[in-house]
Amino acid sequence: MNSNTVNEILQGLSAPEKYISSKFFYDDAGSAIFQQIMEMPEYYLTNAEQEILAQQAGDIITETGFKGPFNLVELGAGDGSKTFELLNYLDKQNREVTYVPIDISMAAVDGLAADFAQRLPNVTLNPKVGDYFEVLNGRLKSEANPSLLLFLGSNIGNYIPGDALDLLRLFHKNMRDGDALLLGADLQKNPEVIRRAYDDPHGITRNFNLNLLDRFNRELDANFVKEQFDFYCHYNPLSGEVRSYLISLSDQVVDLADQQISFKKDELIWTELSKKYSFPELEGMAVTAGFEVKRHFLDSRSYFTNSLWIK
């Protein structure tokens, strides 16, 4: 981790109300645990989005208005399993497309590239490892062909409203006129359905959160003792927010990057926000960020949407 990243982590853990950005979940170990989360029966988001992309791929591509070759640029691609549905459709239609999966995890990108090269040999692959905007910076505007930007998996829900809007504006700034954004967003629904997805009985989400401490031990010479921390999450159906926390189980001092961080017994570390949206909220964000909402694609239970926006 570079000095800016270390300072960001230290700042969060030294704040009056401690926090760790959820972006730090996704080292190689964290990405592997998240794959387990996506396979849980309680975690409906994966299957809902997979259903949309598998059954409505043709409608999604048609609604973009793209007639010739185009780029399919995925931010936070992971294993690319959902995007495979779109690419498989495009391959069968003999559409000329270049798939650009972007992920901060080299292991995820390498695994995806090897898998897709075997399963979809006719699709042009141009994988990238790194931060979204380091990779995207100026890229789309210099492309000869239009781009469909994919931000799937309800990743937008991990940002507080102001930051989510800033992110969408940044997407808009990096896109050229006529480009499209397919945004995955989890919808508000029965609170019990949402609670089970984020506080699973298998303990996988707990492990996902505690892996943050393992990562800091590995990469920042920290000495967190995982057994001295626990996991808690809460869903507020009025705000649509799931908030996840680590809890210090004792008064303790932890070494991290040549500094000492004090924790009080029962002190919380906020690790993740997962926002659930209404359609008016989504449409308001789209318009404010400069997009035209083309269409909301829904799964059969209306749990989730892939919303297509045009610049």
Side-chain angles (χ1 to χ4, degrees):
M1 293 185 183
N2 62 39
S3 59
N4 289 337
T5 299
V6 173
N7 289 336
E8 182 180 352
I9 293 167
L10 288 171
Q11 181 179 0
L13 291 178
S14 302
E17 295 183 357
K18 290 181 170 60
Y19 64 90
I20 301 170
S21 170
S22 60
K23 68 185 178 184
F24 296 117
F25 279 133
Y26 299 98
D27 64 338
D28 290 346
S31 294
I33 298 171
F34 190 66
Q35 294 300 320
Q36 297 176 35
I37 289 174
M38 292 194 297
E39 293 167 3
M40 298 187 315
E42 296 84 3
Y43 195 77
Y44 58 84
L45 293 86
T46 304
N47 288 339
E49 190 168 39
Q50 191 103 25
E51 176 193 322
I52 294 168
L53 297 176
Q55 297 183 8
Q56 302 180 66
D59 290 338
I60 291 169
I61 300 303
T62 297
E63 290 285 0
T64 65
F66 298 165
K67 302 301 183 187
F70 68 96
N71 307 297
L72 194 64
V73 183
E74 182 171 11
L75 308 178
D79 68 355
S81 57
K82 289 176 287 192
T83 309
F84 177 84
E85 305 293 351
L86 285 175
L87 289 169
N88 190 42
Y89 167 81
L90 291 164
D91 188 42
K92 289 178 178 178
Q93 297 296 314
N94 295 313
R95 291 292 300 268
E96 188 177 344
V97 61
T98 299
Y99 177 43
V100 185
I102 303 172
D103 201 283
I104 203 164
S105 168
M106 181 173 289
V109 170
D110 288 348
L112 180 154
D115 181 41
F116 278 36
Q118 182 175 19
R119 297 169 73 193
L120 294 169
N122 297 323
V123 173
T124 302
L125 291 174
N126 187 13
K128 303 288 184 183
V129 177
D131 177 82
Y132 303 154
F133 296 106
E134 289 175 4
V135 176
L136 271 186
N137 189 22
R139 173 190 170 85
L140 301 185
K141 289 189 174 180
S142 65
E143 289 285 343
N145 298 320
S147 298
L148 172 57
L149 206 64
L150 304 180
F151 198 52
L152 304 178
S154 194
N155 285 329
I156 192 65
N158 295 140
Y159 296 83
I160 62 175
D163 289 347
L165 191 55
D166 288 344
L167 182 68
L168 294 169
R169 284 173 169 148
L170 203 48
F171 289 164
H172 188 274
K173 179 180 177 181
N174 277 274
M175 295 163 69
R176 64 180 210 174
D177 290 348
D179 283 351
L181 169 66
L182 189 66
L183 181 75
D186 197 13
L187 298 173
Q188 295 180 9
K189 61 185 72 66
N190 186 321
E192 186 60 23
V193 172
I194 294 171
R195 188 195 65 78
R196 286 197 302 266
Y198 289 87
D199 191 10
D200 68 277
H202 321 288
I204 300 174
T205 307
R206 179 179 185 274
N207 292 340
F208 183 58
N209 278 260
L210 288 169
N211 178 66
L212 284 166
L213 308 184
D214 280 339
R215 181 180 186 184
F216 295 162
N217 287 349
R218 288 191 298 266
E219 300 183 28
L220 297 176
D221 296 322
N223 61 349
F224 284 99
V225 178
K226 281 201 305 184
E227 291 74 19
Q228 290 299 313
F229 291 86
D230 206 349
F231 166 72
Y232 172 76
C233 82
H234 167 71
Y235 175 57
N236 182 340
L238 301 179
S239 67
E241 292 183 349
V242 177
R243 289 183 177 246
S244 298
Y245 302 89
L246 291 173
I247 310 165
S248 176
L249 297 179
S250 65
D251 292 336
Q252 55 185 308
V253 177
V254 174
D255 296 326
L256 189 150
D258 298 323
Q259 294 199 31
Q260 291 191 320
I261 308 294
S262 296
F263 297 88
K264 298 184 186 308
K265 183 177 185 296
D266 298 328
E267 187 172 14
L268 301 176
I269 310 169
W270 181 27
T271 57
E272 186 176 24
L273 168 69
S274 186
K275 164 79 173 157
K276 311 306 172 187
Y277 287 98
S278 66
F279 289 118
E281 285 176 317
L282 285 173
E283 290 162 4
M285 285 199 309
V287 171
T288 304
F291 291 97
E292 172 196 350
V293 178
K294 193 74 172 178
R295 182 171 165 187
H296 300 298
F297 296 91
L298 299 171
D299 67 287
S300 57
R301 295 183 292 184
S302 296
Y303 276 7
F304 196 92
T305 184
N306 285 114
S307 188
L308 185 67
W309 303 356
I310 307 294
K311 175 173 176 177

